[in-house]
């Protein structure tokens, strides 16, 4: 049996590899791991959101095909963007998603022909690179370097590549580097995209997880953004609804219409109880946003301060639910460090090179463990003397 040639560019997920490594470690040693690898939120939604979901599930007629978004859903999205980001959206400038990853994996089928160029940051969230490849597009990488605060340097993109590029993926606050971008970057980005006729896809999944009193923004709040781009936003981190799979794609009408046509031939819309829960989240579920952000900030502080005491200095991330940590110089790469760290401590992190070549000297830690488990991890690392 022969599989499609497009599968030749894909390998098993790094998280599958880590899961197998964890299983082997536990079976051999009898010790449990402390897992900082997968960024799956462990802070539950507001009770009112869960209550609406529970009640909606018991309504028989909610099991019919949804087909389109509920009018109340679009109204709630409109008000959310207006009140939170000061962005005015019309109903034909928005579409609901089964999580923002849906668009990151399929939108390129609507917008790209085989061989078209998509500009992707490096390091990158894996689907940023895989989505274009599914459509047969060619990926050109834009380095995110520590000396530039992990902000894309638009003036360093080769002009011939820029002329041929169809789409550029941008994401701040950024996963995995945790960086945020200044307003000046977005102003330059919009002019760059207009000059080279590039569609900007901005992933804004972490706009509510910005620390130290700062406030996340929307790409669409900058003048001219809707002329050249779209934005993805997520209920996963903001409202703790990761498993419910709900997100939005908003912005440029032409792109939304094109993608909506594709989606209408691929699925039957978002399960109605999930939409009702989403409406509740947008209308009344914001009470815990601040406390959720504070919880991740507290974990960030705890992990950076505790690990620093045992010799692992990690810069405090300005945003997201991760920290991006440089590995010791003696290791060949982040895979080697990840394996040694697990073997000696049972602490699991994600090797940075799984996010691209510019992540080779880094690992990503998800802030999904309580402070008590962070302290346990610290004691294990201290005992191992891996940083001496």
């Amino acid at each position: 049996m022969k599989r499609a040639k497009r599968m030749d560019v894909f390998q098993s997920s790094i998280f599958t590899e880590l899961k197998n490594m964890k299983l082997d470690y536990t079976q051999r040693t009898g010790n449990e791991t402390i897992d900082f690898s997968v960024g799956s939120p462990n802070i539950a939604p507001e009770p009112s959101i869960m209550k609406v979901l529970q009640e909606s599930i018991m309504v028989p007629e909610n099991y019919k095909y949804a087909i389109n978004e509920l009018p109340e859903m679009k109204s709630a999205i409109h008000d959310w963007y207006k009140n939170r980001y000061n962005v005015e959206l019309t109903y034909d400038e928005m579409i609901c998603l089964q999580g923002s990853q849906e668009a990151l994996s399929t939108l390129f089928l609507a917008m790209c022909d085989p061989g078209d160029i998509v500009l992707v940051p490096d390091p990158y969230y894996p689907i940023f690179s895989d989505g274009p490849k599914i459509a047969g597009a060619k990926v050109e990488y834009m380095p995110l370097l520590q000396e530039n605060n992990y902000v894309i340097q638009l003036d360093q993109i080769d002009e011939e590549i820029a002329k041929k590029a169809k789409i550029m993926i941008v994401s701040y606050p950024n996963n995995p580097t945790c960086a945020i971008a200044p307003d000046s970057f977005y102003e330059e980005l919009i002019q760059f995209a207009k000059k080279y006729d590039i569609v900007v896809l901005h992933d804004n999944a972490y706009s509510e997880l910005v620390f130290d009193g700062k406030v996340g923004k929307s790409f669409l709040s900058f003048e001219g953004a809707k002329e050249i781009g779209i934005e993805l936003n997520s209920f996963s981190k903001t409202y703790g609804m990761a498993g419910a799979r709900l997100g939005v794609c908003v912005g440029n009408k032409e792109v939304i219409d094109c993608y909506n046509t594709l989606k209408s031939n691929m699925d039957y819309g978002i399960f109605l109880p999930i939409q009702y829960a989403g409406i509740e989240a947008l209308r009344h579920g914001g009470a815990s946003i601040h406390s959720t952000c504070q919880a991740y900030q507290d974990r960030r502080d705890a992990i950076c301060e505790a690990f620093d005491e045992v010799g692992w200095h990690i810069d405090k991330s300005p945003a997201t639910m991760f920290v991006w940590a440089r590995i010791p110089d003696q290791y060949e790469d982040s895979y080697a460090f990840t394996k040694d760290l697990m073997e000696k401590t049972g602490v699991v992190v994600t090797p940075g090179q799984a996010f691209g070549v510019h992540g080779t000297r880094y690992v990503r830690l998800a802030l999904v463990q309580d402070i008590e488990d962070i302290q346990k991890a610290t004691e294990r690392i201290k005992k191992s003397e891996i940083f001496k």
Side-chain angles (χ1 to χ4, degrees):
M1 185 180 295
K2 293 183 178 180
R3 65 179 188 173
K5 290 182 179 179
R6 71 174 63 89
M7 292 302 298
D8 292 343
V9 301
F10 298 106
Q11 300 175 345
S12 62
S13 161
I14 181 59
F15 300 109
T16 300
E17 293 182 41
L18 291 172
K19 181 180 179 180
N20 292 335
M21 288 170 58
K22 285 167 53 181
L23 181 61
D24 175 70
Y25 170 84
T26 301
Q27 289 177 339
R28 284 188 295 102
T29 67
N31 297 323
E32 292 297 319
T33 59
I34 302 175
D35 193 349
F36 295 96
S37 64
V38 182
S40 180
N42 65 341
I43 299 175
E46 279 281 300
S48 68
I49 299 172
M50 293 189 284
K51 182 179 180 181
V52 167
L53 180 59
Q54 181 184 39
E55 293 174 348
S56 299
I57 282 174
M58 297 307 295
V59 178
E61 65 182 39
N62 284 343
Y63 286 82
K64 63 187 179 183
Y65 290 128
I67 307 296
N68 298 312
E69 295 87 354
L70 292 164
E72 305 97 307
M73 185 80 228
K74 286 204 166 186
S75 175
I77 294 168
H78 170 273
D79 294 348
W80 175 32
Y81 259 77
K82 178 64 176 177
N83 297 331
R84 172 62 181 83
Y85 302 113
N86 196 30
V87 172
E88 190 73 51
L89 295 170
T90 59
Y91 283 12
D92 55 0
E93 293 175 333
M94 62 180 76
I95 187 171
C96 281
L97 307 167
Q98 296 183 40
S100 55
Q101 182 131 335
E102 179 193 359
L104 291 166
S105 60
T106 62
L107 180 136
F108 306 95
L109 293 168
M111 296 297 296
C112 295
D113 292 314
D116 282 346
I117 290 177
V118 176
L119 297 171
V120 173
D122 181 353
Y124 49 83
Y125 181 50
I127 196 62
F128 288 2
S129 179
D130 291 343
K133 291 176 183 177
I134 290 171
K138 180 182 178 183
V139 174
E140 293 285 349
Y141 294 103
M142 304 174 290
L144 303 183
L145 304 178
Q146 187 173 13
E147 56 262 37
N148 298 323
N149 296 315
Y150 303 109
V151 175
I152 298 167
Q153 301 299 291
L154 298 170
D155 60 356
Q156 293 182 18
I157 297 173
D158 184 276
E159 187 166 20
E160 292 306 309
I161 291 175
K163 288 178 180 177
K164 297 175 183 177
K166 196 86 169 276
I167 298 177
M168 175 192 290
I169 300 177
V170 177
S171 181
Y172 293 103
N174 183 261
N175 175 15
T177 69
C178 314
I180 55 178
D183 289 358
S184 59
F185 166 76
Y186 289 106
E187 293 162 358
E188 294 168 10
L189 172 64
I190 292 165
Q191 294 308 311
F192 182 90
K194 287 182 177 180
K195 178 179 178 180
Y196 293 106
D197 192 23
I198 298 172
V199 173
V200 174
L201 189 166
H202 185 256
D203 183 17
N204 200 25
Y206 298 96
S207 69
E208 297 297 353
L209 298 184
V210 179
F211 305 140
D212 305 313
K214 296 181 180 179
V215 178
K217 297 184 178 182
S218 166
F219 159 66
L220 297 180
S221 67
F222 292 87
E223 185 177 355
K226 278 203 289 186
E227 297 173 29
I228 49 85
I230 57 173
E231 179 166 273
L232 306 181
N233 217 317
S234 171
F235 289 67
S236 296
K237 284 77 182 179
T238 301
Y239 297 105
M241 296 174 62
R245 310 311 302 136
L246 183 61
V248 298
C249 177
V250 295
N252 184 273
K253 287 182 183 180
E254 292 182 54
V255 177
I256 296 295
D257 182 62
C258 180
Y259 186 44
N260 200 22
T261 299
L262 176 70
K263 277 179 57 63
S264 70
N265 286 278
M266 294 180 71
D267 63 52
Y268 287 95
I270 310 296
F271 185 39
L272 290 173
I274 298 295
Q275 290 196 52
Y276 285 119
I279 293 165
E280 174 64 22
L282 296 181
R283 295 294 192 200
H284 310 293
S288 63
I289 290 177
H290 175 76
S291 61
T292 296
C293 181
Q294 187 63 51
Y296 284 120
Q297 181 175 317
D298 291 345
R299 293 175 185 180
R300 177 207 65 174
D301 292 344
I303 204 168
C304 290
E305 291 165 9
F307 284 16
D308 192 60
E309 292 177 3
V310 297
W312 192 3
H313 175 73
I314 302 174
D315 292 333
K316 287 187 176 181
S317 53
T320 77
M321 54 181 294
F322 307 102
V323 292
W324 186 238
R326 194 165 184 89
I327 65 172
D329 293 339
Q330 66 266 28
Y331 288 92
E332 179 182 357
D333 56 35
S334 58
Y335 274 113
F337 172 74
T338 296
K339 291 176 182 177
D340 198 40
L341 183 68
M342 186 186 299
E343 190 63 32
K344 292 180 177 177
T345 70
V347 173
V348 187
V349 299
T350 305
Q353 65 209 88
F355 303 109
V357 295
H358 286 90
T360 299
R361 304 304 306 171
Y362 300 85
V363 291
R364 191 195 74 176
L365 291 82
L367 302 172
V368 294
Q369 299 293 345
D370 294 331
I371 291 177
E372 180 181 352
D373 287 322
I374 290 172
Q375 293 299 331
K376 289 179 182 177
T378 304
E379 290 303 314
R380 291 189 187 186
I381 292 172
K382 181 179 180 180
K383 186 177 180 181
S384 74
E385 298 187 341
I386 198 170
F387 286 95
K388 284 197 174 181

